[in-house]
Every structure is written in C-alpha cells, then in structure tokens.
Amino acid sequence: MVNTCGFIDAAVDESLDAIGEALEKNGRVIVTGCLGARPERILARHPRVLKVTGAHAYEDVMDAVHEHVPPRHDPFVHLVPPQGIRLTPRHYAYLKISEGCNNRCSFCIIPSMRGRLASRPIDEVLREAERLVAAGVKELLVISQDTSAYGADVRYRSAMWRDESYETRFIDLARGLGSLGVWVRLHYVYPYPHVDAVIPLMAEGRVLPYLDVPFQHGSPSVLKRMRRPAHAEDTLARIQAWRRVCPQLAIRSTFIVGFPGETETEFNELLDWLDAAQLDRVGCFKYSPVEGAAANALPDHVPAELQEERYARFMERASAISAARLKRHVGSRMRVLVDAIDGDTATARSSADAPEIDGVVRIAGAGALSVGSWADVKILRADAYDLSSRLLN
C-alpha cells in the first residue's frame, strides 16, 4: 500500500515515484491518500495498480486488500488491544480531532481533496486520549487541518465525559485533555480571537506552553492574496498579549516566500514582522504551484532564482532569532522527554519542541536513561536550533 500526498507538485512527484518503486519491487500495489482524489493522474502513469482510493477511505483500502489477499486468522492482528497499535514511539501519539477544512486559501487544495471540516465528537476524542494515556503515552500532539475551528461544523455540540459536559470546541478540548496529566501540544492553530482563552491553561501548566500557528506571511497585502483566515487580525498584538499571560510560551510557524506578486517591499515587511514577532521555531517553503489552486492564476509569479535568494535571507534571519532565544536558556534547569539513546548521549525534547520538526535537547552522561523517560537537566550550551545539557541528580 502506498499512502500518497497531493498537496504540492513536489509531493505528487514523490508519491508517483513511490508507487513506481512499489510496483517494481512487489507488483501488487494499492494506492490511497490525498492523491487518490485524482485517480486519473495515478493511472495515467501507473495503470497496473490494483486499486486507487481517496483519503481516509479505510474500509475501501481493506476491501481491496482482502479482494487480492484473502485474510487468514492472525492473533496479533485480530486480537488487537483496546488502545490499538500505533506507529509512533510508545511515549507520544498524534490525536486527530477533525478532517477537512472550511478555509479557501488560494495556494491550497486541501478542501477539494479532504472535504469540508468534519469534527470528531469531543467525547470520542477524549476517550481516545484517555486510552492512549492508559497505554503509556506521555505526550499528546493534537492535529487537524484547522484546530482552532474544531466543532464549528457541529455547532459546538455538547457531550458527556467523566460525568461532566464538554462542548465540541477548542477551549473545552484543551480543558479536557489538560486534565489527563500528560503533555498536550496544540498544532495548526489559527490566530482567531477565541484562541486567547487557552493561554491561561498554558500559564497554569495544564497544557504545554506551545502553539503551532501557520502565519504564512507578515505582509497584509500578501496575506490578502493568499486568502488567509484571520489575515485582518493584528497578529503581533495578539502574540504580545499571549506572552504577557504566559511568558514561557513557545510559538512555531511556517511561512511561504516567493508567493505570486510578492514584491521586495512585501518581502521586507515579512522580515520586519519576523523581527517583531520573535518566534521560537520557524520553517519556510518556497511557493510551489499546486494543480487546481487559485493562486496559479495570480499574475507576476516570482522567478525561482529570486525565490531561492529570499528563502536564504529569510532563514538567515530566522536562525539568528532562534539562536538568540535559545541562548536565554543557558544555565537554566529544564524537564525533558527522552526520544532516543545513543551510547552515553540521549536526545530529548523540551516543552518547546515537537517531535521531528523542532529542535532537540542533547544530554551528556545519560546512559542510565531510557527512551520515553523524563529527565531533569541543566542547559550548558545553545546553537541555532538545539540545546546541550547535562543530567541533574
């Protein structure tokens, strides 16, 4: 089975290459995922695939598998424990709260591939989280296409969990997850005004002081062309207000440079915005046309060479900001979660670090630690993205 992505052209090419590799090695291939919404694109290049399904079409995938490989009884598969079987390490898990998106950003085709927002009932989400914690999970990473819009499609329907009523909405979700006694990390949160209500929970230690907010740009005119939700909000004022309530808040974001029509003035507005915002973790992409995206029709596409030059300037500025913010932690004590052990060195993460996308905290003399354990450390050094530390007794 090949699970595909069709968000940008580079991802489509990579998915098609992966299908070809699977056919060459195996000969019998089922394709699923976002690119499956355009089966003609797949079949034109790989007509030998057995089946193409769309995203989150679990039953269709399994029906296709069983059509070509009738199942035999397997105790490991058929006697699955109540918490299920996860592909992430035992100590953290992703918790998906919804599918789809109601936004119509001009560079994105997710709504046409995954549909409109479809929120899971809040009691179902909280029960899944409860099972994960009972199975040993120490960190829950909340994901969706638009976490802050959670529940809008069901009019914030109420449900009971642990003998208490919760509405299917962002703040009630954070409140419920925050009662489980584990790290709760919120991803893909748009800067709507109602997000302000979660910041006190972070200040109280009930939810990690961490927000993944896809700002995408700092120029109002570019954001308008992008059709970004909340583009009219004063995001710098909102960030400052969040940090007044929760000074330890870490904010990560991603940005697009070289969007169609982006002028040098607009790019400099982005750099000025970045200087003012002082974000902790930043990623950047060069604009890439996506088949079916409205942005393709915009005039004045930025040449690849200029995109590359702006990308380098952006990352240089972001790296300097990251280094300065990390340097403030040198000499401080920190609780971290261990992800890996290599000899006498452990790789861990702080509350400011999501797995695989943010920095790490390296711990020297950590032979006695184990993966998934907590560790108290003293920070010794900082570089542009990572921290080095020693273990405290």
Side-chain angles (χ1 to χ4, degrees), residues 192-253:
Y192 301 125
H194 71 266
V195 172
D196 297 355
V198 82
I199 307 301
L201 296 181
M202 296 179 174
E204 296 164 9
R206 296 168 63 185
V207 175
L208 283 183
Y210 178 100
L211 276 179
D212 175 6
V213 185
F215 290 113
Q216 302 294 13
H217 213 279
S219 167
S221 51
V222 173
L223 289 168
K224 187 174 181 179
R225 293 200 299 277
M226 288 179 169
R227 301 182 194 165
R228 291 296 287 165
H231 74 268
E233 300 290 336
D234 187 344
T235 51
L236 288 176
R238 174 144 283 117
I239 290 169
Q240 292 165 2
W242 290 344
R243 285 177 168 154
R244 282 195 295 270
V245 176
C246 184
Q248 67 271 35
L249 175 66
I251 303 175
R252 98 165 318 272
S253 189

Side-chain angles (χ1 to χ4, degrees), residues 215 217-219 235-236 239-240 243 255 267-280 282 313-322 324-325:
F215 290 113
H217 213 279
S219 167
T235 51
L236 288 176
I239 290 169
Q240 292 165 2
R243 285 177 168 154
F255 295 85
F267 177 70
N268 284 322
E269 286 177 339
L270 169 58
L271 295 182
D272 291 343
W273 188 96
L274 199 63
D275 283 337
Q278 291 289 297
L279 303 184
D280 300 87
V282 169
R313 288 164 59 194
F314 178 94
M315 291 308 299
E316 182 180 13
R317 186 74 58 91
S319 176
I321 293 170
S322 176
R325 293 190 68 80

Side-chain angles (χ1 to χ4, degrees), residues 9 13 81 84 94 118 132 136 140-141 203 219 233 265 285 289 292 322 331 350 352 366:
D9 286 351
D13 292 340
Y94 293 93
L132 290 167
L140 295 168
L141 299 106
S219 167
E233 300 290 336
T265 298
F285 299 92
S322 176
S350 72

